[in-house]
Amino acid sequence: MSDDGKANLFLHSYSTTHEPAVKFELFIDLQCPYSKVAFNNLKDSIPKHYGKKVDFSITVTALGFHYQAFEALVGGMIAQKVSGKRSTFLDYISTVFEHQESIMNAACTDKNPAQIKQAVADLACNLDGVTQEAYTAERNGEDGGWKYVVQANRMCKYAQGRGVGSTPSMIVDGFLVPNTESKWGLEEWKAKIDPFLA
């Protein structure tokens, strides 16, 4: 988030290009195992195959029944703010998915909100340029990290407004693609994307 409180695109979303192109939006929830599968299948294959022909973006949301996912979304915003690097967002998603079991319900049943915040902080602090001290200062700042909570809420509302009710969800050039599967790779998605390039 910028100093004037306005949303900064790369605090919540990672995009491969700003060139005119077909837009492919992947919406994921960091607590969702199916989102993990889709992310790992698509994050490299789509950009590598299409280059600037397709603007591939990843937007993190949090489903209403995934409390830890919401805190993880907040954590990604803070990690990027602290590191000051755009690439941190993608690295953060990868790190959370590598250790996803630590924020699943089974691991968090007996944890209070402060402990869940710390679990997310521990994940974020695996990244270059993100220290516990700097992360905690942002999460527990004068406003209690409220500016990040507000931005996370905006992202969830953005996803809902795009018709995203489950994750992973994919939108190609403004159209929510129905009946998709998280295990789909490049070959399956070429059948959905290529007609928009014709």
Side-chain angles (χ1 to χ4, degrees):
M1 186 170 295
S2 61
D3 292 338
D4 63 1
K6 294 181 179 178
N8 181 330
L9 172 65
F10 298 117
L11 287 178
H12 64 254
S13 184
Y14 176 85
S15 178
T16 55
T17 178
H18 288 299
E19 300 292 328
V22 170
K23 289 187 65 65
F24 183 110
E25 300 176 84
L26 170 62
F27 290 82
I28 57 173
D29 174 304
L30 294 173
Q31 198 178 328
C32 170
Y34 302 106
S35 289
K36 177 180 177 179
V37 172
F39 173 78
N40 287 331
N41 283 344
L42 302 176
K43 68 181 175 71
D44 295 321
S45 62
I46 296 292
K48 182 178 179 180
H49 179 76
Y50 287 105
K52 292 185 177 181
K53 292 180 180 179
V54 171
D55 182 7
F56 178 64
S57 67
I58 300 167
T59 298
V60 178
T61 185
L63 301 177
F65 49 90
H66 282 171
Y67 175 79
Q68 296 89 260
F70 187 84
E71 183 61 35
L73 171 53
V74 170
M77 296 175 181
I78 295 173
Q80 181 149 329
K81 169 69 173 179
V82 169
S83 75
K85 297 184 294 185
R86 174 189 175 196
S87 60
T88 296
F89 184 78
L90 200 60
D91 294 339
Y92 174 80
I93 296 172
S94 295
T95 296
V96 172
F97 279 150
E98 285 172 13
H99 304 280
Q100 192 181 51
E101 68 281 355
S102 69
I103 62 166
M104 298 296 278
N105 288 339
C108 297
T109 300
D110 298 325
K111 290 183 178 179
N112 61 38
Q115 291 171 319
I116 291 172
K117 287 180 182 179
Q118 186 57 53
V120 171
D122 290 342
L123 291 175
C125 291
N126 285 314
L127 302 170
D128 290 340
V130 183
T131 64
Q132 283 281 354
E133 182 180 8
Y135 184 97
T136 301
E138 288 292 325
R139 186 64 183 93
N140 302 324
E142 291 182 2
D143 67 348
W146 186 247
K147 63 184 177 182
Y148 297 107
V149 172
V150 169
Q151 179 66 359
N153 270 317
R154 287 176 181 161
M155 284 317 305
C156 294
K157 289 180 179 178
Y158 169 74
Q160 291 167 2
R162 301 288 280 152
V164 174
S166 61
T167 56
S169 285
M170 297 78 163
I171 295 177
V172 178
D173 249 17
F175 295 93
L176 184 65
V177 184
N179 305 318
T180 62
E181 295 189 27
S182 57
K183 65 182 180 181
W184 283 5
L186 176 61
E187 290 307 312
E188 290 85 356
W189 277 106
K190 283 169 64 177
K192 302 293 185 181
I193 296 170
D194 287 357
F196 287 90
L197 297 170

Short mmCIF file of all heavy atoms in Angstrom, two decimals, residues 85-153:
data_model
loop_
_atom_site.label_atom_id
_atom_site.label_comp_id
_atom_site.label_asym_id
_atom_site.label_seq_id
_atom_site.Cartn_x
_atom_site.Cartn_y
_atom_site.Cartn_z
N LYS A 85 10.27 -5.32 -2.68
CA LYS A 85 10.51 -5.95 -3.98
C LYS A 85 9.23 -6.57 -4.52
O LYS A 85 8.53 -7.29 -3.81
CB LYS A 85 11.59 -7.01 -3.88
CG LYS A 85 12.95 -6.49 -3.49
CD LYS A 85 14.00 -7.58 -3.51
CE LYS A 85 13.74 -8.63 -2.46
NZ LYS A 85 14.81 -9.64 -2.40
N ARG A 86 8.95 -6.34 -5.80
CA ARG A 86 7.77 -6.90 -6.44
C ARG A 86 7.80 -8.43 -6.40
O ARG A 86 6.78 -9.08 -6.18
CB ARG A 86 7.69 -6.41 -7.88
CG ARG A 86 6.57 -7.05 -8.67
CD ARG A 86 6.66 -6.70 -10.15
NE ARG A 86 5.64 -7.43 -10.90
CZ ARG A 86 5.66 -7.58 -12.22
NH1 ARG A 86 6.62 -7.05 -12.94
NH2 ARG A 86 4.70 -8.24 -12.83
N SER A 87 8.97 -9.01 -6.59
CA SER A 87 9.08 -10.46 -6.68
C SER A 87 8.74 -11.16 -5.38
O SER A 87 8.47 -12.37 -5.36
CB SER A 87 10.50 -10.86 -7.11
OG SER A 87 11.46 -10.38 -6.18
N THR A 88 8.75 -10.43 -4.29
CA THR A 88 8.46 -11.04 -2.99
C THR A 88 7.08 -11.66 -2.96
O THR A 88 6.86 -12.69 -2.31
CB THR A 88 8.59 -9.99 -1.87
OG1 THR A 88 9.95 -9.54 -1.81
CG2 THR A 88 8.22 -10.58 -0.50
N PHE A 89 6.14 -11.06 -3.67
CA PHE A 89 4.76 -11.58 -3.63
C PHE A 89 4.70 -13.02 -4.14
O PHE A 89 4.12 -13.90 -3.50
CB PHE A 89 3.84 -10.68 -4.45
CG PHE A 89 2.39 -11.08 -4.37
CD1 PHE A 89 1.62 -10.76 -3.27
CD2 PHE A 89 1.80 -11.81 -5.39
CE1 PHE A 89 0.30 -11.15 -3.19
CE2 PHE A 89 0.48 -12.20 -5.32
CZ PHE A 89 -0.28 -11.86 -4.21
N LEU A 90 5.32 -13.27 -5.27
CA LEU A 90 5.31 -14.61 -5.84
C LEU A 90 6.11 -15.58 -4.96
O LEU A 90 5.70 -16.72 -4.75
CB LEU A 90 5.88 -14.59 -7.26
CG LEU A 90 5.54 -15.77 -8.17
CD1 LEU A 90 4.03 -15.89 -8.36
CD2 LEU A 90 6.23 -15.62 -9.51
N ASP A 91 7.22 -15.12 -4.44
CA ASP A 91 8.02 -15.95 -3.54
C ASP A 91 7.23 -16.30 -2.28
O ASP A 91 7.34 -17.42 -1.77
CB ASP A 91 9.31 -15.23 -3.15
CG ASP A 91 10.25 -15.02 -4.32
OD1 ASP A 91 10.13 -15.75 -5.32
OD2 ASP A 91 11.12 -14.12 -4.23
N TYR A 92 6.46 -15.35 -1.80
CA TYR A 92 5.66 -15.57 -0.60
C TYR A 92 4.60 -16.66 -0.85
O TYR A 92 4.42 -17.56 -0.03
CB TYR A 92 4.98 -14.27 -0.17
CG TYR A 92 4.02 -14.42 0.98
CD1 TYR A 92 4.49 -14.50 2.29
CD2 TYR A 92 2.65 -14.48 0.77
CE1 TYR A 92 3.61 -14.64 3.36
CE2 TYR A 92 1.76 -14.62 1.83
CZ TYR A 92 2.26 -14.70 3.12
OH TYR A 92 1.37 -14.85 4.17
N ILE A 93 3.91 -16.57 -1.98
CA ILE A 93 2.91 -17.58 -2.31
C ILE A 93 3.56 -18.97 -2.33
O ILE A 93 3.04 -19.93 -1.76
CB ILE A 93 2.25 -17.30 -3.66
CG1 ILE A 93 1.45 -15.99 -3.62
CG2 ILE A 93 1.32 -18.44 -4.07
CD1 ILE A 93 0.92 -15.54 -4.97
N SER A 94 4.71 -19.07 -2.99
CA SER A 94 5.41 -20.36 -3.07
C SER A 94 5.78 -20.87 -1.68
O SER A 94 5.62 -22.06 -1.38
CB SER A 94 6.67 -20.22 -3.92
OG SER A 94 6.35 -19.92 -5.27
N THR A 95 6.26 -19.98 -0.83
CA THR A 95 6.66 -20.37 0.52
C THR A 95 5.47 -20.86 1.33
O THR A 95 5.55 -21.88 2.03
CB THR A 95 7.34 -19.19 1.24
OG1 THR A 95 8.55 -18.85 0.55
CG2 THR A 95 7.68 -19.53 2.68
N VAL A 96 4.38 -20.14 1.26
CA VAL A 96 3.18 -20.54 2.01
C VAL A 96 2.69 -21.91 1.53
O VAL A 96 2.36 -22.79 2.34
CB VAL A 96 2.06 -19.49 1.90
CG1 VAL A 96 0.76 -20.01 2.52
CG2 VAL A 96 2.47 -18.20 2.59
N PHE A 97 2.66 -22.10 0.22
CA PHE A 97 2.20 -23.39 -0.30
C PHE A 97 3.15 -24.53 0.08
O PHE A 97 2.72 -25.66 0.31
CB PHE A 97 2.00 -23.31 -1.80
CG PHE A 97 0.69 -22.70 -2.21
CD1 PHE A 97 0.58 -22.00 -3.41
CD2 PHE A 97 -0.44 -22.82 -1.42
CE1 PHE A 97 -0.64 -21.44 -3.81
CE2 PHE A 97 -1.65 -22.25 -1.80
CZ PHE A 97 -1.75 -21.57 -3.00
N GLU A 98 4.45 -24.25 0.15
CA GLU A 98 5.41 -25.28 0.56
C GLU A 98 5.16 -25.73 1.99
O GLU A 98 5.42 -26.88 2.35
CB GLU A 98 6.83 -24.74 0.44
CG GLU A 98 7.35 -24.65 -0.99
CD GLU A 98 8.69 -23.94 -1.06
OE1 GLU A 98 9.32 -23.73 0.00
OE2 GLU A 98 9.10 -23.56 -2.19
N HIS A 99 4.64 -24.82 2.80
CA HIS A 99 4.39 -25.11 4.22
C HIS A 99 2.90 -24.98 4.54
O HIS A 99 2.54 -24.61 5.65
CB HIS A 99 5.20 -24.15 5.09
CG HIS A 99 6.68 -24.17 4.81
ND1 HIS A 99 7.52 -25.15 5.29
CD2 HIS A 99 7.44 -23.34 4.04
CE1 HIS A 99 8.75 -24.91 4.87
NE2 HIS A 99 8.73 -23.84 4.11
N GLN A 100 2.07 -25.30 3.57
CA GLN A 100 0.63 -25.06 3.71
C GLN A 100 0.03 -25.76 4.92
O GLN A 100 -0.92 -25.26 5.53
CB GLN A 100 -0.09 -25.50 2.43
CG GLN A 100 -1.54 -25.04 2.36
CD GLN A 100 -2.22 -25.51 1.08
OE1 GLN A 100 -2.17 -26.69 0.73
NE2 GLN A 100 -2.85 -24.59 0.37
N GLU A 101 0.58 -26.91 5.26
CA GLU A 101 0.01 -27.66 6.39
C GLU A 101 0.04 -26.85 7.68
O GLU A 101 -0.79 -27.06 8.58
CB GLU A 101 0.77 -28.98 6.59
CG GLU A 101 2.20 -28.86 7.08
CD GLU A 101 3.20 -28.50 5.98
OE1 GLU A 101 2.80 -28.43 4.80
OE2 GLU A 101 4.38 -28.29 6.31
N SER A 102 0.94 -25.87 7.78
CA SER A 102 1.05 -25.08 9.02
C SER A 102 -0.10 -24.10 9.21
O SER A 102 -0.29 -23.58 10.32
CB SER A 102 2.39 -24.33 9.05
OG SER A 102 2.42 -23.30 8.07
N ILE A 103 -0.86 -23.83 8.13
CA ILE A 103 -2.00 -22.92 8.27
C ILE A 103 -3.33 -23.62 7.98
O ILE A 103 -4.37 -22.97 7.89
CB ILE A 103 -1.87 -21.67 7.38
CG1 ILE A 103 -1.82 -22.04 5.88
CG2 ILE A 103 -0.67 -20.83 7.78
CD1 ILE A 103 -2.02 -20.86 4.95
N MET A 104 -3.28 -24.94 7.87
CA MET A 104 -4.52 -25.68 7.68
C MET A 104 -5.27 -25.80 9.01
O MET A 104 -4.69 -25.63 10.08
CB MET A 104 -4.22 -27.06 7.10
CG MET A 104 -3.55 -27.02 5.73
SD MET A 104 -4.58 -26.30 4.44
CE MET A 104 -5.60 -27.71 4.02
N ASN A 105 -6.56 -26.11 8.94
CA ASN A 105 -7.37 -26.18 10.15
C ASN A 105 -6.81 -27.17 11.16
O ASN A 105 -6.84 -26.91 12.37
CB ASN A 105 -8.81 -26.56 9.79
CG ASN A 105 -9.55 -25.43 9.11
OD1 ASN A 105 -9.17 -24.27 9.23
ND2 ASN A 105 -10.61 -25.76 8.39
N ALA A 106 -6.31 -28.30 10.70
CA ALA A 106 -5.80 -29.32 11.61
C ALA A 106 -4.67 -28.79 12.48
O ALA A 106 -4.53 -29.17 13.65
CB ALA A 106 -5.33 -30.53 10.82
N ALA A 107 -3.85 -27.89 11.91
CA ALA A 107 -2.71 -27.34 12.65
C ALA A 107 -3.09 -26.14 13.50
O ALA A 107 -2.31 -25.74 14.38
CB ALA A 107 -1.61 -26.95 11.67
N CYS A 108 -4.25 -25.57 13.25
CA CYS A 108 -4.61 -24.31 13.91
C CYS A 108 -5.83 -24.41 14.83
O CYS A 108 -6.26 -23.39 15.37
CB CYS A 108 -4.86 -23.24 12.85
SG CYS A 108 -3.40 -22.86 11.85
N THR A 109 -6.34 -25.61 15.02
CA THR A 109 -7.55 -25.79 15.83
C THR A 109 -7.40 -25.18 17.22
O THR A 109 -8.33 -24.54 17.73
CB THR A 109 -7.89 -27.29 15.95
OG1 THR A 109 -8.11 -27.82 14.65
CG2 THR A 109 -9.14 -27.49 16.79
N ASP A 110 -6.24 -25.36 17.83
CA ASP A 110 -6.04 -24.90 19.21
C ASP A 110 -5.29 -23.57 19.29
O ASP A 110 -4.88 -23.16 20.38
CB ASP A 110 -5.29 -25.96 20.01
CG ASP A 110 -6.07 -27.27 20.12
OD1 ASP A 110 -7.31 -27.20 20.22
OD2 ASP A 110 -5.43 -28.34 20.08
N LYS A 111 -5.09 -22.93 18.14
CA LYS A 111 -4.35 -21.67 18.14
C LYS A 111 -5.30 -20.48 18.24
O LYS A 111 -6.37 -20.47 17.63
CB LYS A 111 -3.50 -21.54 16.88
CG LYS A 111 -2.32 -22.50 16.84
CD LYS A 111 -1.47 -22.29 15.60
CE LYS A 111 -0.27 -23.22 15.61
NZ LYS A 111 0.57 -23.07 14.39
N ASN A 112 -4.89 -19.48 19.01
CA ASN A 112 -5.66 -18.24 19.08
C ASN A 112 -5.22 -17.31 17.96
O ASN A 112 -4.22 -17.59 17.26
CB ASN A 112 -5.52 -17.60 20.47
CG ASN A 112 -4.08 -17.23 20.79
OD1 ASN A 112 -3.32 -16.78 19.93
ND2 ASN A 112 -3.69 -17.42 22.05
N PRO A 113 -5.93 -16.20 17.72
CA PRO A 113 -5.56 -15.30 16.61
C PRO A 113 -4.12 -14.82 16.66
O PRO A 113 -3.47 -14.72 15.61
CB PRO A 113 -6.55 -14.15 16.78
CG PRO A 113 -7.76 -14.78 17.38
CD PRO A 113 -7.21 -15.81 18.34
N ALA A 114 -3.60 -14.54 17.85
CA ALA A 114 -2.21 -14.07 17.94
C ALA A 114 -1.24 -15.16 17.49
O ALA A 114 -0.22 -14.87 16.83
CB ALA A 114 -1.90 -13.66 19.38
N GLN A 115 -1.53 -16.40 17.80
CA GLN A 115 -0.66 -17.50 17.39
C GLN A 115 -0.74 -17.75 15.89
O GLN A 115 0.27 -18.10 15.26
CB GLN A 115 -1.04 -18.76 18.17
CG GLN A 115 -0.70 -18.70 19.65
CD GLN A 115 -1.27 -19.87 20.43
OE1 GLN A 115 -2.41 -20.28 20.20
NE2 GLN A 115 -0.50 -20.39 21.37
N ILE A 116 -1.90 -17.55 15.32
CA ILE A 116 -2.04 -17.69 13.87
C ILE A 116 -1.28 -16.57 13.16
O ILE A 116 -0.58 -16.81 12.17
CB ILE A 116 -3.52 -17.70 13.46
CG1 ILE A 116 -4.19 -18.99 13.97
CG2 ILE A 116 -3.68 -17.58 11.95
CD1 ILE A 116 -5.68 -19.03 13.80
N LYS A 117 -1.36 -15.36 13.70
CA LYS A 117 -0.58 -14.25 13.15
C LYS A 117 0.91 -14.58 13.17
O LYS A 117 1.63 -14.31 12.22
CB LYS A 117 -0.85 -12.97 13.93
CG LYS A 117 -2.19 -12.33 13.69
CD LYS A 117 -2.33 -11.06 14.52
CE LYS A 117 -3.69 -10.42 14.34
NZ LYS A 117 -3.85 -9.21 15.16
N GLN A 118 1.36 -15.18 14.26
CA GLN A 118 2.78 -15.51 14.37
C GLN A 118 3.17 -16.61 13.40
O GLN A 118 4.26 -16.59 12.83
CB GLN A 118 3.12 -15.93 15.80
CG GLN A 118 4.60 -16.15 16.05
CD GLN A 118 5.43 -14.91 15.73
OE1 GLN A 118 5.14 -13.82 16.22
NE2 GLN A 118 6.46 -15.07 14.87
N ALA A 119 2.28 -17.58 13.20
CA ALA A 119 2.56 -18.65 12.24
C ALA A 119 2.75 -18.09 10.85
O ALA A 119 3.65 -18.51 10.10
CB ALA A 119 1.43 -19.67 12.26
N VAL A 120 1.92 -17.11 10.48
CA VAL A 120 2.05 -16.45 9.17
C VAL A 120 3.33 -15.63 9.12
O VAL A 120 4.05 -15.64 8.11
CB VAL A 120 0.81 -15.59 8.88
CG1 VAL A 120 1.03 -14.73 7.63
CG2 VAL A 120 -0.42 -16.47 8.70
N ALA A 121 3.62 -14.93 10.20
CA ALA A 121 4.85 -14.13 10.25
C ALA A 121 6.08 -15.02 10.06
O ALA A 121 7.02 -14.65 9.35
CB ALA A 121 4.94 -13.38 11.58
N ASP A 122 6.06 -16.19 10.68
CA ASP A 122 7.20 -17.11 10.55
C ASP A 122 7.40 -17.53 9.10
O ASP A 122 8.55 -17.67 8.63
CB ASP A 122 6.98 -18.34 11.43
CG ASP A 122 7.06 -18.02 12.92
OD1 ASP A 122 7.62 -16.97 13.27
OD2 ASP A 122 6.56 -18.85 13.72
N LEU A 123 6.30 -17.73 8.38
CA LEU A 123 6.41 -18.08 6.96
C LEU A 123 7.00 -16.92 6.16
O LEU A 123 7.90 -17.10 5.35
CB LEU A 123 5.03 -18.45 6.40
CG LEU A 123 4.42 -19.75 6.91
CD1 LEU A 123 3.01 -19.92 6.36
CD2 LEU A 123 5.28 -20.95 6.53
N ALA A 124 6.48 -15.72 6.41
CA ALA A 124 6.94 -14.53 5.67
C ALA A 124 8.42 -14.27 5.91
O ALA A 124 9.14 -13.82 5.01
CB ALA A 124 6.11 -13.31 6.07
N CYS A 125 8.88 -14.55 7.12
CA CYS A 125 10.26 -14.24 7.47
C CYS A 125 11.26 -15.24 6.91
O CYS A 125 12.47 -15.11 7.15
CB CYS A 125 10.40 -14.11 8.98
SG CYS A 125 9.54 -12.63 9.61
N ASN A 126 10.79 -16.22 6.16
CA ASN A 126 11.68 -17.08 5.38
C ASN A 126 12.22 -16.37 4.15
O ASN A 126 13.15 -16.86 3.50
CB ASN A 126 10.95 -18.35 4.93
CG ASN A 126 10.75 -19.35 6.06
OD1 ASN A 126 11.67 -19.62 6.81
ND2 ASN A 126 9.55 -19.88 6.18
N LEU A 127 11.61 -15.23 3.81
CA LEU A 127 11.93 -14.54 2.56
C LEU A 127 13.06 -13.53 2.78
O LEU A 127 13.18 -12.93 3.86
CB LEU A 127 10.69 -13.81 2.03
CG LEU A 127 9.48 -14.71 1.77
CD1 LEU A 127 8.26 -13.85 1.48
CD2 LEU A 127 9.75 -15.66 0.62
N ASP A 128 13.85 -13.32 1.73
CA ASP A 128 14.92 -12.32 1.79
C ASP A 128 14.33 -10.95 2.05
O ASP A 128 13.34 -10.55 1.43
CB ASP A 128 15.70 -12.31 0.48
CG ASP A 128 16.55 -13.55 0.29
OD1 ASP A 128 16.84 -14.23 1.29
OD2 ASP A 128 16.90 -13.85 -0.87
N GLY A 129 14.95 -10.23 2.97
CA GLY A 129 14.54 -8.85 3.23
C GLY A 129 13.37 -8.71 4.18
O GLY A 129 12.90 -7.59 4.43
N VAL A 130 12.87 -9.82 4.73
CA VAL A 130 11.74 -9.76 5.66
C VAL A 130 12.21 -10.29 7.01
O VAL A 130 12.51 -11.48 7.15
CB VAL A 130 10.54 -10.59 5.17
CG1 VAL A 130 9.36 -10.45 6.13
CG2 VAL A 130 10.13 -10.16 3.76
N THR A 131 12.28 -9.41 7.99
CA THR A 131 12.69 -9.79 9.34
C THR A 131 11.49 -9.79 10.27
O THR A 131 10.49 -9.11 10.01
CB THR A 131 13.74 -8.82 9.89
OG1 THR A 131 13.15 -7.51 10.02
CG2 THR A 131 14.95 -8.73 8.94
N GLN A 132 11.61 -10.53 11.37
CA GLN A 132 10.54 -10.55 12.36
C GLN A 132 10.26 -9.14 12.88
O GLN A 132 9.12 -8.74 13.06
CB GLN A 132 10.91 -11.47 13.52
CG GLN A 132 10.75 -12.95 13.22
CD GLN A 132 9.30 -13.43 13.31
OE1 GLN A 132 8.39 -12.69 13.69
NE2 GLN A 132 9.08 -14.68 12.92
N GLU A 133 11.31 -8.39 13.13
CA GLU A 133 11.15 -7.05 13.69
C GLU A 133 10.37 -6.15 12.73
O GLU A 133 9.42 -5.46 13.13
CB GLU A 133 12.52 -6.44 13.97
CG GLU A 133 12.44 -5.05 14.59
CD GLU A 133 13.82 -4.46 14.87
OE1 GLU A 133 14.84 -5.05 14.44
OE2 GLU A 133 13.88 -3.40 15.53
N ALA A 134 10.77 -6.15 11.46
CA ALA A 134 10.11 -5.29 10.49
C ALA A 134 8.69 -5.75 10.22
O ALA A 134 7.76 -4.93 10.11
CB ALA A 134 10.91 -5.26 9.19
N TYR A 135 8.49 -7.06 10.12
CA TYR A 135 7.15 -7.60 9.88
C TYR A 135 6.23 -7.25 11.03
O TYR A 135 5.10 -6.76 10.83
CB TYR A 135 7.22 -9.12 9.70
CG TYR A 135 5.89 -9.74 9.35
CD1 TYR A 135 5.56 -10.02 8.03
CD2 TYR A 135 4.96 -10.05 10.34
CE1 TYR A 135 4.32 -10.59 7.70
CE2 TYR A 135 3.73 -10.61 10.03
CZ TYR A 135 3.42 -10.88 8.71
OH TYR A 135 2.20 -11.43 8.40
N THR A 136 6.68 -7.49 12.25
CA THR A 136 5.85 -7.22 13.43
C THR A 136 5.51 -5.74 13.55
O THR A 136 4.40 -5.38 13.95
CB THR A 136 6.56 -7.71 14.70
OG1 THR A 136 6.82 -9.11 14.57
CG2 THR A 136 5.71 -7.47 15.93
N ALA A 137 6.46 -4.89 13.20
CA ALA A 137 6.21 -3.45 13.26
C ALA A 137 5.07 -3.05 12.34
O ALA A 137 4.26 -2.18 12.68
CB ALA A 137 7.48 -2.69 12.90
N GLU A 138 4.97 -3.69 11.18
CA GLU A 138 3.88 -3.40 10.24
C GLU A 138 2.57 -4.04 10.70
O GLU A 138 1.52 -3.40 10.67
CB GLU A 138 4.23 -3.91 8.84
CG GLU A 138 5.30 -3.11 8.14
CD GLU A 138 4.86 -1.71 7.76
OE1 GLU A 138 3.67 -1.51 7.42
OE2 GLU A 138 5.70 -0.80 7.82
N ARG A 139 2.65 -5.29 11.15
CA ARG A 139 1.41 -6.01 11.53
C ARG A 139 0.80 -5.46 12.80
O ARG A 139 -0.43 -5.45 12.95
CB ARG A 139 1.70 -7.52 11.70
CG ARG A 139 0.43 -8.36 11.95
CD ARG A 139 -0.45 -8.28 10.73
NE ARG A 139 -1.72 -8.97 10.87
CZ ARG A 139 -2.86 -8.41 11.28
NH1 ARG A 139 -2.86 -7.12 11.65
NH2 ARG A 139 -3.98 -9.09 11.33
N ASN A 140 1.64 -4.99 13.72
CA ASN A 140 1.15 -4.48 15.00
C ASN A 140 1.44 -3.00 15.16
O ASN A 140 1.72 -2.53 16.26
CB ASN A 140 1.78 -5.26 16.16
CG ASN A 140 1.51 -6.75 16.06
OD1 ASN A 140 0.45 -7.17 15.64
ND2 ASN A 140 2.49 -7.56 16.48
N GLY A 141 1.38 -2.27 14.05
CA GLY A 141 1.69 -0.84 14.07
C GLY A 141 0.64 -0.03 14.82
O GLY A 141 -0.23 -0.58 15.51
N GLU A 142 0.70 1.28 14.65
CA GLU A 142 -0.20 2.17 15.37
C GLU A 142 -1.67 1.84 15.11
O GLU A 142 -2.52 2.00 15.98
CB GLU A 142 0.08 3.63 14.99
CG GLU A 142 1.42 4.14 15.50
CD GLU A 142 1.62 5.59 15.15
OE1 GLU A 142 0.71 6.20 14.54
OE2 GLU A 142 2.69 6.13 15.48
N ASP A 143 -1.95 1.39 13.90
CA ASP A 143 -3.34 1.06 13.56
C ASP A 143 -3.62 -0.44 13.70
O ASP A 143 -4.66 -0.93 13.27
CB ASP A 143 -3.67 1.52 12.13
CG ASP A 143 -2.90 0.75 11.06
OD1 ASP A 143 -1.95 0.02 11.42
OD2 ASP A 143 -3.24 0.87 9.88
N GLY A 144 -2.68 -1.17 14.29
CA GLY A 144 -2.87 -2.60 14.47
C GLY A 144 -2.86 -3.36 13.16
O GLY A 144 -3.43 -4.45 13.07
N GLY A 145 -2.20 -2.79 12.16
CA GLY A 145 -2.17 -3.43 10.85
C GLY A 145 -3.48 -3.29 10.09
O GLY A 145 -3.71 -3.99 9.10
N TRP A 146 -4.32 -2.35 10.53
CA TRP A 146 -5.66 -2.22 9.96
C TRP A 146 -5.63 -1.91 8.47
O TRP A 146 -6.48 -2.39 7.71
CB TRP A 146 -6.45 -1.16 10.71
CG TRP A 146 -7.88 -1.06 10.29
CD1 TRP A 146 -8.48 -0.02 9.65
CD2 TRP A 146 -8.91 -2.04 10.47
NE1 TRP A 146 -9.81 -0.28 9.42
CE2 TRP A 146 -10.09 -1.53 9.91
CE3 TRP A 146 -8.92 -3.32 11.04
CZ2 TRP A 146 -11.28 -2.24 9.90
CZ3 TRP A 146 -10.12 -4.03 11.03
CH2 TRP A 146 -11.27 -3.49 10.47
N LYS A 147 -4.67 -1.12 8.02
CA LYS A 147 -4.63 -0.76 6.60
C LYS A 147 -4.47 -2.00 5.73
O LYS A 147 -5.01 -2.06 4.62
CB LYS A 147 -3.51 0.24 6.31
CG LYS A 147 -2.11 -0.26 6.57
CD LYS A 147 -1.10 0.87 6.35
CE LYS A 147 0.32 0.41 6.68
NZ LYS A 147 1.29 1.52 6.52
N TYR A 148 -3.77 -3.01 6.24
CA TYR A 148 -3.61 -4.25 5.48
C TYR A 148 -4.88 -5.10 5.53
O TYR A 148 -5.23 -5.75 4.55
CB TYR A 148 -2.42 -5.05 6.02
CG TYR A 148 -1.11 -4.31 5.86
CD1 TYR A 148 -0.46 -3.75 6.96
CD2 TYR A 148 -0.51 -4.17 4.61
CE1 TYR A 148 0.74 -3.07 6.82
CE2 TYR A 148 0.68 -3.48 4.46
CZ TYR A 148 1.31 -2.94 5.57
OH TYR A 148 2.49 -2.25 5.42
N VAL A 149 -5.56 -5.07 6.65
CA VAL A 149 -6.83 -5.78 6.78
C VAL A 149 -7.85 -5.20 5.81
O VAL A 149 -8.59 -5.92 5.14
CB VAL A 149 -7.34 -5.73 8.23
CG1 VAL A 149 -8.77 -6.29 8.32
CG2 VAL A 149 -6.41 -6.50 9.15
N VAL A 150 -7.89 -3.88 5.74
CA VAL A 150 -8.82 -3.21 4.82
C VAL A 150 -8.50 -3.59 3.38
O VAL A 150 -9.41 -3.90 2.59
CB VAL A 150 -8.75 -1.67 5.00
CG1 VAL A 150 -9.50 -0.96 3.88
CG2 VAL A 150 -9.31 -1.27 6.35
N GLN A 151 -7.22 -3.59 3.03
CA GLN A 151 -6.84 -3.94 1.67
C GLN A 151 -7.17 -5.41 1.36
O GLN A 151 -7.60 -5.75 0.26
CB GLN A 151 -5.34 -3.67 1.45
CG GLN A 151 -4.83 -4.03 0.08
CD GLN A 151 -5.40 -3.18 -1.04
OE1 GLN A 151 -6.21 -2.29 -0.80
NE2 GLN A 151 -4.99 -3.44 -2.25
N ALA A 152 -6.97 -6.28 2.34
CA ALA A 152 -7.32 -7.69 2.16
C ALA A 152 -8.82 -7.84 1.93
O ALA A 152 -9.26 -8.63 1.08
CB ALA A 152 -6.87 -8.51 3.37
N ASN A 153 -9.61 -7.09 2.67
CA ASN A 153 -11.05 -7.11 2.46
C ASN A 153 -11.41 -6.65 1.06
O ASN A 153 -12.30 -7.21 0.41
CB ASN A 153 -11.75 -6.22 3.50
CG ASN A 153 -12.11 -6.96 4.76
OD1 ASN A 153 -12.60 -8.08 4.71
ND2 ASN A 153 -11.87 -6.35 5.90
#
